[in-house]
Amino acid sequence: MMQPKAAGTRKSMPTPRVPAAADEQSLAAGTASEQLPHNENSIGQQRDSLPSPEGDRLGTDQEGTGRKRVLVLPTVVCANPLCARISQMAPGTIVFEHQLGCGQLEAGRRDAFGELVRQAARPEVGSVLIISHGCEVINPYELEEEIGRLGKPVEVLDILTAGGSVKTLRAGAEMARRMQEALDRGALLQTGTGHA
């Protein structure tokens, strides 16, 4: 016969272990959900709510050159690690990490959508690579359309459609590199130091 538990006693849950930082090899091995080290290219801090307008959402151009950057933009929190890795693999690009895009009510979805568009509208952003998971409340193609109205080149890559994290990592890094190179070529041509 089972003895009743004394009132007020609770079995404590073990503290979850935070996984070690993932590298490209572990991502390729299917451990993309592991926590990545903070990306030096990150322009947002991981937080529970939207950053305030005065907050440090996008870093300023540290070189002071006015260089246009490709913004790697996740539509949902679970795409943050992959976007951070893509940005690390594509020199010159930046990423906006956030805690939004999943399980939000309509008002929250609209706020998050608007914040992503505002990040894309920043003057240092020359083009945008949207990384979608494929199941979030923010529609990446609506976001693509809205960012396109800003007159900036924009591409969408969907993790589920692309065939998973590893394929998205490879395709996303290549797309981001190509987009950043196009921005850099355009800047050289505008200053008259490049060749057509």
Side-chain angles (χ1 to χ4, degrees):
M1 179 190 256
M2 292 184 65
Q3 296 295 324
K5 287 186 180 180
T9 61
R10 297 170 68 187
K11 184 176 179 180
S12 64
M13 297 295 289
T15 304
R17 186 181 70 78
V18 176
D23 58 16
E24 189 175 346
Q25 235 178 359
S26 65
L27 183 61
T31 56
S33 63
E34 289 188 339
Q35 228 178 23
L36 293 173
H38 181 72
N39 180 4
E40 63 194 27
N41 303 332
S42 291
I43 51 180
Q45 299 298 318
Q46 298 210 6
R47 43 186 112 190
D48 295 328
S49 60
L50 284 171
S52 69
E54 303 79 32
D56 97 19
R57 294 174 298 174
L58 274 178
T60 56
D61 180 4
Q62 293 177 354
E63 296 91 10
T65 60
R67 181 183 187 195
K68 296 288 187 182
R69 308 294 186 108
V70 173
L71 172 61
V72 183
L73 189 63
T75 55
V76 64
V77 58
C78 58
N80 279 346
L82 192 58
C83 289
R85 180 61 70 203
I86 287 170
S87 182
Q88 289 171 339
M89 293 172 66
T93 65
I94 50 180
V95 61
F96 178 66
E97 297 176 86
H98 58 85
Q99 298 292 316
L100 305 168
C102 192
Q104 292 175 282
L105 298 177
E106 180 57 20
R109 186 201 70 82
R110 281 195 311 268
D111 286 347
F113 186 94
E115 182 61 27
L116 296 179
V117 173
R118 281 189 292 279
Q119 294 300 329
R122 293 182 66 99
E124 62 268 42
V125 173
S127 57
V128 181
L129 174 58
I130 298 169
I131 304 295
S132 163
H133 197 278
C135 58
E136 59 271 32
V137 298
I138 294 173
N139 184 317
Y141 300 102
E142 288 177 10
L143 186 59
E144 176 187 34
E145 186 177 334
E146 193 64 29
I147 292 171
R149 290 190 181 111
L150 301 172
K152 299 184 181 190
V154 58
E155 301 267 357
V156 174
L157 193 53
D158 182 313
I159 295 168
L160 294 179
T161 304
S165 296
V166 174
K167 289 182 179 178
T168 304
L169 175 67
R170 292 182 185 137
E174 179 56 36
M175 288 170 76
R177 278 194 293 264
R178 180 171 35 84
M179 293 168 82
Q180 187 62 56
E181 286 167 4
L183 287 174
D184 292 343
R185 272 197 313 274
L188 287 174
L189 290 172
Q190 283 182 346
T191 61
T193 58
H195 302 287

